[in-house]
Amino acid sequence: MELSIGKALNAGLRAAMDDDAKVVLMGEDIGRLGGVFRVTDGLQKDFGDQRVMDTPLAESAIVGAAVGMAYRGFRPVVEIQFDGFVYPAYDQIVNQVARLRFRSEGAVKVPLVIRIPYGGGIGAVEHHSESPEAQFVMTPGLTVVTPSNAHDAFWMMRQAIASDDPVIFLEPKQRYWDTGEVGDEAGIGLHQSRVAREGSDVTVVGYGPVVKTCLAAADEAEASLEVIDLRSLSPLDLGPVMDSVKRTGRVVVVHEAARTLGLGAELATRITQECFYSLEAPVQRVTGYDMPYPPCRVEHDHLPSVERILDAVDVTGEF
Amino acid sequence: MGLPISQTLAPDGELVAAHDFTPEDLRGFHRDLVLARRIDSEAFALQRHGELGLWAPMLGQEAAQIGSGRALAPNDFVFPSYREHAVAWCRGLDPALLLGLFRGTSLGGWDPAQYGYALPAIIIGAQTLHAVGYGIGLTLEGKEDAVVTYFGDGATSQGDTNEAFAWAASYHAPVVFFCQNNHYAISIPLERQTRVPIAQRAAGFGFEGVRVDGNDVLAVHQVTSEALAKARSGGGPTLIEAVTYRMGAHTTSDDPSRYRDPHEADAWAERDPLLRLRTLLERTDPGFAEFDARVQAEADELGAHLRDVCRNLPDPDLAELFEHVYADLPPELVAQREEVRSWS
Ligand SMILES: Cc1ncc(C[n+]2csc(CCOP(=O)(O)OP(=O)(O)O)c2C)c(N)n1
């Protein structure tokens, strides 16, 4: 079945709701409007306003109330309308959601999915293009995942809802309209990374919106690039990354988020620790710069581009 | 339920309460309303022509904004959200300055101190706390100025807004909370945010709330002037609920037909804020037709100015933006700036 990423997410939510009456959706404008990106389109019509709830405009309350519902045995899936609006809920996520299992020594589970359209490239105004993933990855207790294609969008959503742990589900909003085949089987687990394209010279690691950019770079590169799609940012599955680096000896990590203490920092450290003797060049990073997300007329100079990835690939070849 | 809604000028253009406005004041309001509507319609058209990424229209809310904006004194300070284009007009901002944010060439682009007008808050409710802090600052300095913050009905559900109410009451801060209740937060109707009139909530925090017909520029001006005078003289905060209606979409990306009954807007069209003042002036001001013709010509000029400025707004240079991240550019950012330059 060929679907856009947005429609695949919708289908994933629908299937999960069909399967389990305890799955409820909550968020701003997700009901009649179907969400500002229409990811929940039609779900309130079919499941009713008790299972697809339009909420008051309050992110801390959306997440905090979802915690209470989880105590009551529900499996809430909440939508934060845009990345920049998650911060009012940050306290609930970091101080409550992430710690409840640990504090209760396993007695309380929080099967909560927090959906966040994230990333730039859509020409939006302020607070609509942020990449906050590292803030959640550094919070123990949270699972953080992001699909890069329609198949994963559908299946990872189902896996995230089925998980008994809280999942930050980052949706690459720039890619909502990209289409792809959605297969009948989930394939790999929610926490696994995958080789998106095989290659032998340089390993390019990305996730979410930049996977497409990395694949485009691989199409254009003279060298043979192996592209790894991390899918899960916390926990990290570095098996495929390490296998690849041991063969190529060269790595470029790509993300939209600012550079300092971005995921690239963790990846570079782990790769250095585990593949030191295989490395032919220092790990290169292609990232957003260490500034607040700039006005959108210059966002394309800020975001990782095919050119910048190819340049970093060349740098790894100079050693 | 509860509080009455003050009104001075009825929808049919009849005066239903006494007022102190001179004929010149009334003409001034008319001019502001017409020009504000032109700023809005011109920006909307610019978005449709691809010149702006987004626009948040204020059609229908002109009287709430002009009535309150014109009540402000030069030393007052405004903390707006993103739809207060007409308040910005009252503060003397060239409306072209508002376009940068929506075109994506800037994240604001003016010095708030110059206009007594802060940069717009897109994060719902955030600015209400800034207003309280500013107000506390005024009190600490012994100043007799006031601060106004604008927000929507949806914003009253946010923690920040409720914390601002609590603080303003606690510190007796000279803050006017100006809520434009336009009945929707994107698709969510008022009933999902509150089960009592918004103004009524102020009582629970310990200060006064007033409701006003937000489409009546005269009544809005009157209640705002009173609230500001109270704030300046140490009377503490007021919550004004201007009852109005968003005639258009939430933003140019929104489709209100998905969540609104089309006839609902028809009823509000009859309460159009421009029409009712025009009706009054046509009946009572002998030279109005001539004045109005001049205002229309002025609106055409303003429209042309906006089109011209908008198309010529320069894109920023990413490398130069590094200058503004910190007061002193750290070495790491110098290196990143050079990296960006190497690409241009
Ligand atoms: C914290 C936060 N959450 C969500 C949004 C997305 N959003 C932008 S405007 C809006 C509705 C605001 O409604 P209201 O406060 O009534 O103001 P209005 O737009 O009607 O003037 C929403 C949900 C946001 N900007 N900030």
Side-chain angles (χ1 to χ4, degrees), chain A residues 28 57 59 81 85, chain B residues 82-83 122-124 152-155 158 182 184-186 250:
Chain A
E28 295 157 10
L57 208 182
E59 286 75 11
Q81 203 159 70
F85 312 153
Chain B
Y82 45 77
R83 204 188 293 282
I122 289 175
I123 299 299
I124 300 297
D153 41 296
Q158 282 286 355
N182 66 8
Y184 284 91
I186 309 190
H250 170 69

Side-chain angles (χ1 to χ4, degrees), chain A residues 238-259:
Chain A
L238 294 181
V241 177
M242 301 308 180
D243 290 347
S244 179
V245 174
K246 282 174 185 150
R247 281 184 285 108
T248 63
R250 296 182 163 82
V251 200
V252 174
V253 180
V254 186
H255 57 67
E256 289 190 9
R259 186 170 303 166

Side-chain angles (χ1 to χ4, degrees), chain A residues 27-34 36 38 41-42 49 54-61 81 84-85 88 123-128 259-260 285 287-298 301-302 305 307-309 311, chain B residues 50-51 53-54 101-107 120-124 154-155 157-159 185-189 192-193 253-256 258-261 313 315-319 321-322 325-326 332-333 336-337 339-340 343:
Chain A
E28 295 157 10
D29 304 292
I30 68 165
R32 283 178 88 166
L33 190 65
V36 292
R38 307 288 184 261
D41 200 11
D49 59 10
D54 273 325
T55 66
L57 208 182
E59 286 75 11
S60 182
Q81 203 159 70
F85 312 153
V125 296
E126 252 201 308
H127 311 298
H128 291 69
R259 186 170 303 166
T260 300
R285 287 183 285 175
T287 68
Y289 298 102
D290 288 340
M291 64 163 63
Y293 198 85
C296 64
R297 296 281 284 204
V298 289
D301 295 335
H302 177 78
S305 61
E307 294 71 28
R308 281 173 65 199
I309 295 170
D311 189 59
Chain B
E51 300 289 344
L54 186 82
L101 184 77
F102 293 100
R103 186 171 167 90
T105 57
S106 82
L107 301 181
I122 289 175
I123 299 299
I124 300 297
S157 293
Q158 282 286 355
I186 309 190
S187 72
I188 309 294
R192 177 57 74 208
Q193 314 291 347
S253 311
D254 175 39
D255 173 10
R258 291 179 75 106
Y259 55 84
R260 274 198 328 210
D261 172 354
L313 279 175
D315 285 352
D317 175 358
L318 188 68
L321 293 180
F322 282 93
V325 182
Y326 297 100
E332 168 60 24
L333 289 201
Q336 290 189 19
R337 181 182 63 187
E339 186 183 324
V340 169
W343 285 102

